[in-house]
Amino acid sequence: MTTLLATPAFAESKISFLVAQRGDPFQDLIVTAVSGAAQSDPTLSVSVENADKDPARQIALGQAAIAAKAAALMIIPVSTESAAILAEAAGKAGVPLVFVNNRPQIGPSGGKAVFVSSNDLVAGRVQMRLIVDKLGGQGTVAILRGTDTETASVERTAGGKEILASSPGITLVSEASANWKRQEAQEQVAAWLKGGRKIDAIAANNDEMALGAIAAIKAAGLSGRILVGGVDATKEGVAAVGSGDMLLSVYQDARMQGSQALADAGKLAKGEYVQRYDWVPFELVIAENAKHYSAR
């Protein structure tokens, strides 16, 4: 457990932040944003718990926080199943919760649940639209999906396929899950290329997988011959766009997601109204504006 802010003289609302996986670059940016926002609000005490991608662990951490009478939960869910179980438990206990970044598909929880994220369908559409344009409407595309149980992966993939459906000259030749991980993506793309698969572009659901794809492409001696797109605009992703290794990324504002999620959790803890969906917009990152995003 990491305590972001603990000021006993002032703290009124204890908020538990359950993170799916520390060490993930994007989730770590969200944690940093929450930490910064917590520092400026003496009425909040925030603790961070790492589920380490284990649904059972996240459920146990959430149940412990509820038992300890947390004023609110913030959750980057490991899976829809863990999210649903915690939503039900929080609802029964009257503990409000805020889902951050990964927006699980869950029904009514019996309590107050809100969502702070970006519209992942839009990210997939924006990414694939530019890829199709750069290919001149002709060619072959492969998709690297994130974890298939997560809404972000499902919707980014669906958004990309919407664009492909209206692009008859583009063929989807391969797709696979690399679970958001660079090494898994590198191994998957290496296997595609070794098998003789003709691929003109790769659309990855996040920058980590895009960077893995680029490593495999370079190892195969195909640098510059396969377009690669990512999502999240992480520091390394933006650098790859700026260098020309990556065609694009889609900026997902982790800092805004983190600070908005904490603001919503604080309001819910005080019984104030919060809208169910707080959308944080995506922005396209290309070589021409990469320098701007490298400083964000």
Side-chain angles (χ1 to χ4, degrees):
M1 180 184 76
T2 302
T3 300
L4 299 181
L5 181 67
T7 52
F10 299 101
E12 297 175 355
S13 301
K14 295 182 179 180
I15 296 172
S16 182
F17 185 16
L18 311 181
V19 181
Q21 183 178 34
R22 294 305 305 270
D24 174 89
F26 192 80
Q27 292 188 36
D28 284 349
L29 285 175
I30 294 176
V31 172
T32 298
V34 171
S35 175
Q39 295 292 337
S40 63
D41 190 342
T43 70
L44 301 178
S45 175
V46 184
S47 62
V48 177
E49 302 282 1
N50 179 21
D52 201 24
K53 293 294 282 186
D54 182 346
R57 175 174 169 78
Q58 186 166 66
I59 291 167
L61 290 169
Q63 290 171 336
I66 292 168
K69 301 188 183 305
L73 295 180
M74 293 167 52
I75 305 174
I76 301 178
V78 173
S79 68
T80 295
E81 291 74 17
S82 63
I85 290 170
L86 287 175
E88 182 178 1
K92 288 180 178 178
V95 177
L97 62 89
V98 179
F99 288 112
V100 190
N101 183 245
N102 182 14
R103 182 168 38 86
Q105 300 296 328
I106 60 173
S109 63
K112 182 64 176 178
V114 304
F115 304 84
V116 178
S117 69
S118 299
N119 189 329
D120 290 295
L121 282 168
V122 173
R125 292 168 186 156
V126 167
Q127 180 194 65
M128 194 63 76
R129 191 174 289 120
L130 183 58
I131 287 173
V132 168
D133 181 65
K134 290 296 182 180
L135 290 177
Q138 300 290 326
T140 57
V141 173
I143 294 176
L144 286 169
R145 304 188 306 269
T147 303
D148 287 333
T149 57
E150 296 183 15
T151 302
S153 174
V154 172
E155 293 191 351
R156 290 176 191 181
T157 300
K161 287 183 176 181
E162 285 181 15
I163 302 303
L164 290 178
S166 61
S167 308
I170 304 291
T171 302
L172 177 62
V173 292
S174 296
E175 65 173 301
S177 169
N179 294 302
W180 306 115
K181 296 180 180 178
R182 188 182 306 197
Q183 186 61 38
E184 286 190 30
Q186 182 173 346
E187 292 168 0
Q188 179 61 67
V189 173
W192 284 339
L193 298 177
K194 186 177 180 179
R197 197 71 51 89
K198 183 184 184 302
I199 299 173
D200 295 315
I202 296 173
N205 282 172
N206 75 340
D207 285 353
E208 280 293 288
M209 294 188 296
L211 292 166
I214 290 167
I217 290 166
K218 288 182 175 181
L222 297 172
S223 295
R225 295 171 59 182
I226 300 175
L227 302 177
V228 179
V231 179
D232 288 341
T234 61
K235 183 176 181 179
E236 286 187 80
V238 171
V241 173
S243 70
D245 283 339
M246 192 187 300
L247 173 64
L248 80 144
S249 188
V250 185
Y251 179 66
Q252 183 178 191
D253 197 334
R255 293 171 182 83
M256 186 178 292
Q257 287 189 17
S259 60
Q260 187 59 55
L262 183 62
D264 286 354
K267 288 180 180 179
L268 290 169
K270 297 170 186 174
E272 298 176 11
Y273 170 79
V274 174
Q275 62 188 15
R276 184 167 172 80
Y277 294 99
D278 249 340
W279 297 113
V280 177
F282 280 110
E283 301 170 27
L284 179 63
V285 182
I286 54 177
E288 289 77 5
N289 66 5
K291 186 175 180 180
H292 167 72
Y293 287 92
S294 65
R296 297 180 72 168

